[in-house]
Amino acid sequence: MNRPRHPGHTERNPTPGTPPRQRTLDTREKALNSNPTHQDTSADPTTGWWTEAVIYQIYPRSFADSDGDGVGDLPGITARLDHLTELGVDAVWLSPFYPSPQADAGYDVADYRDVDPLFGTLADADKLITESRARGLRVIVDLVPNHTSSAHRWFAAALAAAPGSPERDRYVFRDGKGPDGAQPPNDWQSVFGGPAWTRITEADGRPGQWYLHLFDTGQPDLNWDNPQVRAEFLDVLRFWLDRGVDGFRVDVAHGLIKQADLADWEEPQEILSGQTVDKPRPPMWDQDGVHEVYREWRALLDSYPGERVLVAEAWVEPAERLARYVRPDEMHQAFNFEFLLASWTAPAQYAVITRSLEATDAVGAPTTWVLSNHDVVRHASRLGLDTSAGRPNGVGIGDPQPDAALGLRRARAATLLMLALPGSAYLFQGEELGLPEHTTMPDEARQDPTWLRSGQTQRGRDGCRVPIPWEADAPSYGFGPTDASWLPQPPMWAEYALDRQRGTPGSTYELYRTALRLRREHGLGRGTLRWRETGDEVLAFDNAGLTVLTNFGPTPVPPPAGELVATSGPLDADSRVPADVTVWVRAS
Ligand code: NOJ
Ligand code: MG
């Protein structure tokens, strides 16, 4: 395979041979401990902290439970922050903890300026932010602007008010089709299954208008053409910026603006707006109008001291289209789901890495990398599945089960490859333990609305959201002080527990620690990738003084010359790199 040297992406390391700037935990601590209102205000797109950060996603329900009610909470997170500094990440992103009926695990927000009692109090959030920053960890919170909860005061007001009222105009209400208005206004489907419209009963008791919800019925979509909606979210941003957060992960960032005519869309609903196939852009995703919103937000963030960032959750393909979200006056980063979705083959990985770097280079933004999050099958299981029939939305009893050993082996290789790439990387809690998906969860235990809304055809996302194991022999594996756990933990969780892996050579946890330490020492995140020529089943590149090689094929290959500093699995008896192993080698 001819792998040309990557054409762009050289400007970030203009003087080859210059040793990378050392950035130790101590300097980070000092920086974050200083008064945040007097930090450097220059958000330089080439050197800002986020350009090379490793950001750890905390899913609060499932990280650590302080009060034993079986649901993780903010004090639980604060008590476990030392784990994150020991692991060596730069920042945390917290999934929603706001007041919510929990129709979609908190992505249905009833009040954007408070904390749900399930997770603690606003004072607990303040403490978590302060304690994180005192340890040199930046904090990103989740912002959910596409929809509110149906329990939000605005939605209650909309239901109480008449059709055509200003209260209704903050959402997407329409009359139904047909003589009695009994048919939904268009054919859109919810991402979770079933229609994207629900009919309401008017205040006088008559069947009334319909409202749009691209997700659950408990998540009515907001109308982003309404100035009150725009003003409200600017104020919500200010609320959290004033509390000291370092940024926002923006939920469904590609969904806020809908095509004005709400035209029918005959295709099956997906959250992904792909342009890889030859069909028009869906009328609900990636409309050009969203960019104006983010420009306004960016101006607000830039008016704050410190380097505050916006991260787009935008399921948009191809990479060039996604890059529009990270133009210089918009967001700072966008999740690279094309990387997450890419197959585990050398050509596919080469293509996605190259395209990702080129697309973000073209707009001067850092590239990001991600393999797991709370919406997809964990990569330790995904990479052990035969995905030729498509990517499953969850795995359950009766489904083809992953090959756990193969999945973990590939996951470790994939992670070591990812952490060697220039740019910023996202980790999902538990992946540092090599945690698999819970693929045999009893269906009665499932909580993701996807399972019921899809008519029990899509298992959904519960399997990646199971509370994580800290101590092998403790109740709930140390998740909390009791056995309670909002989703059942599988019996073999003990072998993945942190206390079994910490200090154990070759454990997944120690692999992550080593990789994160070397990544920092070598400045891999701000380096420059140069491909090496290889055969069709191997990828190899140089970055910041390391050579990285992944063997995707069955035939063992010799490692590059130099000192082996990290390997995702043992070399074979002849010191060659076997199938599904990544190595990092330092030129000696
Ligand atoms: C994306 C979130 O990651 C997911 O968990 C949620 O269900 C949808 N957005 C709707 O908010
Ligand atoms: Mg709790």
Side-chain angles (χ1 to χ4, degrees), residues 57 59 93 95-96 104-108 142 144 146-147 191-192 214-216 219 249-252 271 313 315 337 373-375 448-450 461 465:
Q57 180 189 357
Y59 195 65
W93 147 37
S95 278
D104 182 22
Y107 281 94
D108 47 323
D142 219 307
V144 188
N146 179 67
H147 43 263
V191 172
F192 297 152
L214 290 177
F215 296 91
D216 190 60
Q219 295 168 294
R249 175 265 189 190
V250 180
D251 190 64
V252 204
I271 195 168
E313 189 228 12
W315 292 83
F337 293 124
N373 65 30
H374 65 295
D375 290 330
D448 181 355
T450 303
R461 303 160 295 175
R465 299 175 173 181

